[in-house]
Amino acid sequence: MASAHDPLPPGVDPCDVPGHGHAALTLEAARAQIIAGIQPITEQESVPITAAVGRVLATPVHSGIDVPAHRNSAMDGYALAGADLPAEGEASFAIAGVSWAGRPYAAAVARGQCVRIMTGAMLPEGTDTVVMQEHVRVQDGCVRLEAGHRPGQHVRPPGEDIRRGQVALPAGIELRPAHLGLLASLGIETVRVLRRPRVAIFSTGDELRSPGEALATGQIYDSNRYSLQGMLQRLGMEVVDLGVIRDTREDTLRAFEAAAARADAIVSSGGVSVGDADFVTETLQRHGQIGFWKVAMKPGKPIAFGHFGRACFFGLPGNPVSVMVTFYQVVRPALVALSGARDPDPPILVRAVCTTRLRKKPGRLEFQRGVLERNASGAYSVRSTGHQGAGVLRSMGEANCFIIVPLEHGDVEPGTEVDVQPFAGLA
Ligand code: AMP
Ligand code: MG
């Protein structure tokens, strides 16, 4: 059987050679294998809630108080005893005073009296009902109202939001803005969260220069480290940037070692094919543990996954679009698992009518770049960004979604419904 390192005729894409090396895994199988090999972060730290958005809660948060702490009004109006509401006709109540939010009316309210009350203000003793100010007439220090009100209306009971002792937030959730507000409403200033994963990145390729450097003939700028930086930052990862690594066995091994010494996960780009300058897969095979190196997806068929030292390793292809697609589809779920987040939100998929023709060969799950739009009647349609070459980063920049075409599907004709994954749900 052919091995991963057999030479291929020039110009032949190893992905198009049947049986070259190991069989390609389905994306689903690849993800399952990766997740099974991830050891989630367990180290904790304390952070103020003002810096906690996006962090993973390490321990459950119990409420030390009832929220709200007191029975209070949901409306601006008048507080009175529900038993005094008229069953028919009208009733009149003398206004005994005012209850402000944060400045309660201290005395008890007698039968037949009411108190002017603001939203959020405590209900005074002797009252259990609020009538909206829009539903009364005020005259000579008295309030007149008609029948039709329900005893107990417009009152928020203590603990309506959260009861004292109740688990307000479970461990393992990724803190969103609502959670920060909720923590604040409990009077909590700092929370225990899991340490952020550290992810080391490097680009491989003798042809690569960094922005700011001059290009000689045949050289190109390294774009992968920058798109990776952005995607990792959005995911809340701590990034260790190891720069551009030359295509030699020695430099590649040194990069692996430096990365594994400093990070929980390593993401490289380039050097995973079977060209003469591709040392990434070989290094992983010789000095680490390789899980797989081919996934039946496009772009991104050559992709190496494994472990090096204590770090998990992702060797992404070199083409800039392949890097982004494989990051979102393969690396992202793994890093979410590494972060210790439990039950992350499932990916958002939308059904949309494809208005352009998509070229596709059966055999790989494809992620084409598309523009998702909503028409006047509220239906979604999607069109291709055009040229789908794995090197055309512009296609990612113009797109707002992936159009997902199943493994065995061929060309997609205009008017066909397709699955679409909006970028908005990925970052
Ligand atoms: P490789 O997988 O290393 O053979 O790279 C595949 C293609 O992607 C080649 O055309 C490379 O020049 C290009 N490429 C590799 N790494 C990068 C990078 N960091 N930025 C931009 N293009 C890259
Ligand atoms: Mg290369």
PDB file of all heavy atoms in Angstrom, residues 301-318:
ATOM      1  N   LYS A 301      -8.590  18.776   3.149  1.00  0.00           N
ATOM      2  CA  LYS A 301      -8.434  17.337   3.315  1.00  0.00           C
ATOM      3  C   LYS A 301      -7.163  16.935   4.055  1.00  0.00           C
ATOM      4  O   LYS A 301      -7.235  16.122   4.972  1.00  0.00           O
ATOM      5  CB  LYS A 301      -8.483  16.639   1.967  1.00  0.00           C
ATOM      6  CG  LYS A 301      -8.508  15.128   2.117  1.00  0.00           C
ATOM      7  CD  LYS A 301      -8.776  14.473   0.793  1.00  0.00           C
ATOM      8  CE  LYS A 301      -8.866  12.986   0.905  1.00  0.00           C
ATOM      9  NZ  LYS A 301      -9.012  12.398  -0.422  1.00  0.00           N
ATOM     10  N   PRO A 302      -5.979  17.471   3.707  1.00  0.00           N
ATOM     11  CA  PRO A 302      -4.858  17.090   4.557  1.00  0.00           C
ATOM     12  C   PRO A 302      -4.889  17.935   5.811  1.00  0.00           C
ATOM     13  O   PRO A 302      -4.791  19.164   5.758  1.00  0.00           O
ATOM     14  CB  PRO A 302      -3.621  17.393   3.699  1.00  0.00           C
ATOM     15  CG  PRO A 302      -4.059  18.446   2.746  1.00  0.00           C
ATOM     16  CD  PRO A 302      -5.554  18.409   2.652  1.00  0.00           C
ATOM     17  N   ILE A 303      -5.115  17.295   6.960  1.00  0.00           N
ATOM     18  CA  ILE A 303      -5.083  18.014   8.226  1.00  0.00           C
ATOM     19  C   ILE A 303      -4.626  17.016   9.265  1.00  0.00           C
ATOM     20  O   ILE A 303      -5.168  15.912   9.341  1.00  0.00           O
ATOM     21  CB  ILE A 303      -6.450  18.645   8.582  1.00  0.00           C
ATOM     22  CG1 ILE A 303      -6.530  18.956  10.077  1.00  0.00           C
ATOM     23  CG2 ILE A 303      -7.617  17.820   8.147  1.00  0.00           C
ATOM     24  CD1 ILE A 303      -7.755  19.732  10.461  1.00  0.00           C
ATOM     25  N   ALA A 304      -3.585  17.375   9.990  1.00  0.00           N
ATOM     26  CA  ALA A 304      -2.991  16.427  10.925  1.00  0.00           C
ATOM     27  C   ALA A 304      -3.461  16.741  12.338  1.00  0.00           C
ATOM     28  O   ALA A 304      -3.402  17.881  12.782  1.00  0.00           O
ATOM     29  CB  ALA A 304      -1.472  16.513  10.869  1.00  0.00           C
ATOM     30  N   PHE A 305      -3.929  15.693  13.037  1.00  0.00           N
ATOM     31  CA  PHE A 305      -4.285  15.872  14.442  1.00  0.00           C
ATOM     32  C   PHE A 305      -3.529  14.863  15.288  1.00  0.00           C
ATOM     33  O   PHE A 305      -3.325  13.730  14.877  1.00  0.00           O
ATOM     34  CB  PHE A 305      -5.792  15.687  14.670  1.00  0.00           C
ATOM     35  CG  PHE A 305      -6.127  15.596  16.129  1.00  0.00           C
ATOM     36  CD1 PHE A 305      -6.076  16.722  16.931  1.00  0.00           C
ATOM     37  CD2 PHE A 305      -6.430  14.370  16.715  1.00  0.00           C
ATOM     38  CE1 PHE A 305      -6.333  16.640  18.294  1.00  0.00           C
ATOM     39  CE2 PHE A 305      -6.692  14.285  18.082  1.00  0.00           C
ATOM     40  CZ  PHE A 305      -6.646  15.422  18.856  1.00  0.00           C
ATOM     41  N   GLY A 306      -3.112  15.280  16.448  1.00  0.00           N
ATOM     42  CA  GLY A 306      -2.462  14.356  17.370  1.00  0.00           C
ATOM     43  C   GLY A 306      -2.052  15.069  18.635  1.00  0.00           C
ATOM     44  O   GLY A 306      -2.630  16.100  18.998  1.00  0.00           O
ATOM     45  N   HIS A 307      -1.045  14.525  19.301  1.00  0.00           N
ATOM     46  CA  HIS A 307      -0.524  15.144  20.519  1.00  0.00           C
ATOM     47  C   HIS A 307       0.983  15.257  20.422  1.00  0.00           C
ATOM     48  O   HIS A 307       1.653  14.394  19.845  1.00  0.00           O
ATOM     49  CB  HIS A 307      -0.916  14.321  21.752  1.00  0.00           C
ATOM     50  CG  HIS A 307      -2.362  14.456  22.094  1.00  0.00           C
ATOM     51  ND1 HIS A 307      -3.338  13.700  21.473  1.00  0.00           N
ATOM     52  CD2 HIS A 307      -3.006  15.285  22.955  1.00  0.00           C
ATOM     53  CE1 HIS A 307      -4.523  14.053  21.957  1.00  0.00           C
ATOM     54  NE2 HIS A 307      -4.355  15.011  22.856  1.00  0.00           N
ATOM     55  N   PHE A 308       1.514  16.328  20.987  1.00  0.00           N
ATOM     56  CA  PHE A 308       2.966  16.484  21.068  1.00  0.00           C
ATOM     57  C   PHE A 308       3.267  16.903  22.492  1.00  0.00           C
ATOM     58  O   PHE A 308       2.799  17.955  22.948  1.00  0.00           O
ATOM     59  CB  PHE A 308       3.450  17.542  20.071  1.00  0.00           C
ATOM     60  CG  PHE A 308       4.941  17.553  19.928  1.00  0.00           C
ATOM     61  CD1 PHE A 308       5.568  16.804  18.934  1.00  0.00           C
ATOM     62  CD2 PHE A 308       5.731  18.290  20.801  1.00  0.00           C
ATOM     63  CE1 PHE A 308       6.945  16.798  18.815  1.00  0.00           C
ATOM     64  CE2 PHE A 308       7.106  18.284  20.689  1.00  0.00           C
ATOM     65  CZ  PHE A 308       7.722  17.532  19.687  1.00  0.00           C
ATOM     66  N   GLY A 309       4.016  16.054  23.205  1.00  0.00           N
ATOM     67  CA  GLY A 309       4.167  16.300  24.638  1.00  0.00           C
ATOM     68  C   GLY A 309       2.783  16.273  25.256  1.00  0.00           C
ATOM     69  O   GLY A 309       1.987  15.379  24.962  1.00  0.00           O
ATOM     70  N   ARG A 310       2.460  17.312  26.078  1.00  0.00           N
ATOM     71  CA  ARG A 310       1.126  17.322  26.702  1.00  0.00           C
ATOM     72  C   ARG A 310       0.131  18.164  25.916  1.00  0.00           C
ATOM     73  O   ARG A 310      -1.019  18.322  26.320  1.00  0.00           O
ATOM     74  CB  ARG A 310       1.243  17.799  28.148  1.00  0.00           C
ATOM     75  CG  ARG A 310       1.916  16.704  28.980  1.00  0.00           C
ATOM     76  CD  ARG A 310       2.195  17.084  30.409  1.00  0.00           C
ATOM     77  NE  ARG A 310       1.117  17.832  31.040  1.00  0.00           N
ATOM     78  CZ  ARG A 310       1.333  18.816  31.902  1.00  0.00           C
ATOM     79  NH1 ARG A 310       2.565  19.178  32.190  1.00  0.00           N
ATOM     80  NH2 ARG A 310       0.330  19.437  32.464  1.00  0.00           N
ATOM     81  N   ALA A 311       0.580  18.713  24.799  1.00  0.00           N
ATOM     82  CA  ALA A 311      -0.301  19.593  24.018  1.00  0.00           C
ATOM     83  C   ALA A 311      -1.021  18.815  22.923  1.00  0.00           C
ATOM     84  O   ALA A 311      -0.461  17.869  22.356  1.00  0.00           O
ATOM     85  CB  ALA A 311       0.511  20.715  23.399  1.00  0.00           C
ATOM     86  N   CYS A 312      -2.265  19.221  22.632  1.00  0.00           N
ATOM     87  CA  CYS A 312      -2.906  18.633  21.449  1.00  0.00           C
ATOM     88  C   CYS A 312      -2.484  19.476  20.246  1.00  0.00           C
ATOM     89  O   CYS A 312      -2.218  20.683  20.358  1.00  0.00           O
ATOM     90  CB  CYS A 312      -4.423  18.546  21.591  1.00  0.00           C
ATOM     91  SG  CYS A 312      -5.242  20.062  22.002  1.00  0.00           S
ATOM     92  N   PHE A 313      -2.387  18.821  19.124  1.00  0.00           N
ATOM     93  CA  PHE A 313      -1.796  19.457  17.954  1.00  0.00           C
ATOM     94  C   PHE A 313      -2.750  19.417  16.761  1.00  0.00           C
ATOM     95  O   PHE A 313      -3.357  18.387  16.475  1.00  0.00           O
ATOM     96  CB  PHE A 313      -0.486  18.745  17.584  1.00  0.00           C
ATOM     97  CG  PHE A 313       0.097  19.293  16.315  1.00  0.00           C
ATOM     98  CD1 PHE A 313       0.876  20.448  16.350  1.00  0.00           C
ATOM     99  CD2 PHE A 313      -0.167  18.700  15.085  1.00  0.00           C
ATOM    100  CE1 PHE A 313       1.370  20.990  15.168  1.00  0.00           C
ATOM    101  CE2 PHE A 313       0.330  19.230  13.913  1.00  0.00           C
ATOM    102  CZ  PHE A 313       1.105  20.384  13.956  1.00  0.00           C
ATOM    103  N   PHE A 314      -2.842  20.541  16.067  1.00  0.00           N
ATOM    104  CA  PHE A 314      -3.623  20.626  14.834  1.00  0.00           C
ATOM    105  C   PHE A 314      -2.733  21.173  13.737  1.00  0.00           C
ATOM    106  O   PHE A 314      -2.302  22.332  13.810  1.00  0.00           O
ATOM    107  CB  PHE A 314      -4.819  21.567  15.000  1.00  0.00           C
ATOM    108  CG  PHE A 314      -5.740  21.162  16.102  1.00  0.00           C
ATOM    109  CD1 PHE A 314      -5.521  21.599  17.398  1.00  0.00           C
ATOM    110  CD2 PHE A 314      -6.805  20.310  15.854  1.00  0.00           C
ATOM    111  CE1 PHE A 314      -6.351  21.211  18.429  1.00  0.00           C
ATOM    112  CE2 PHE A 314      -7.640  19.916  16.875  1.00  0.00           C
ATOM    113  CZ  PHE A 314      -7.410  20.365  18.167  1.00  0.00           C
ATOM    114  N   GLY A 315      -2.436  20.352  12.750  1.00  0.00           N
ATOM    115  CA  GLY A 315      -1.639  20.810  11.613  1.00  0.00           C
ATOM    116  C   GLY A 315      -2.585  21.121  10.469  1.00  0.00           C
ATOM    117  O   GLY A 315      -3.082  20.226   9.783  1.00  0.00           O
ATOM    118  N   LEU A 316      -2.872  22.410  10.293  1.00  0.00           N
ATOM    119  CA  LEU A 316      -3.833  22.807   9.262  1.00  0.00           C
ATOM    120  C   LEU A 316      -3.103  22.939   7.922  1.00  0.00           C
ATOM    121  O   LEU A 316      -1.891  23.148   7.881  1.00  0.00           O
ATOM    122  CB  LEU A 316      -4.502  24.127   9.642  1.00  0.00           C
ATOM    123  CG  LEU A 316      -5.147  24.148  11.033  1.00  0.00           C
ATOM    124  CD1 LEU A 316      -5.903  25.453  11.246  1.00  0.00           C
ATOM    125  CD2 LEU A 316      -6.072  22.957  11.223  1.00  0.00           C
ATOM    126  N   PRO A 317      -3.849  22.847   6.812  1.00  0.00           N
ATOM    127  CA  PRO A 317      -3.223  23.018   5.501  1.00  0.00           C
ATOM    128  C   PRO A 317      -2.679  24.442   5.358  1.00  0.00           C
ATOM    129  O   PRO A 317      -2.944  25.297   6.193  1.00  0.00           O
ATOM    130  CB  PRO A 317      -4.364  22.780   4.518  1.00  0.00           C
ATOM    131  CG  PRO A 317      -5.513  22.274   5.309  1.00  0.00           C
ATOM    132  CD  PRO A 317      -5.304  22.667   6.721  1.00  0.00           C
ATOM    133  N   GLY A 318      -1.939  24.690   4.300  1.00  0.00           N
ATOM    134  CA  GLY A 318      -1.324  26.002   4.125  1.00  0.00           C
ATOM    135  C   GLY A 318      -2.231  27.023   3.476  1.00  0.00           C
ATOM    136  O   GLY A 318      -2.127  28.232   3.748  1.00  0.00           O
TER     137      GLY A 318
END
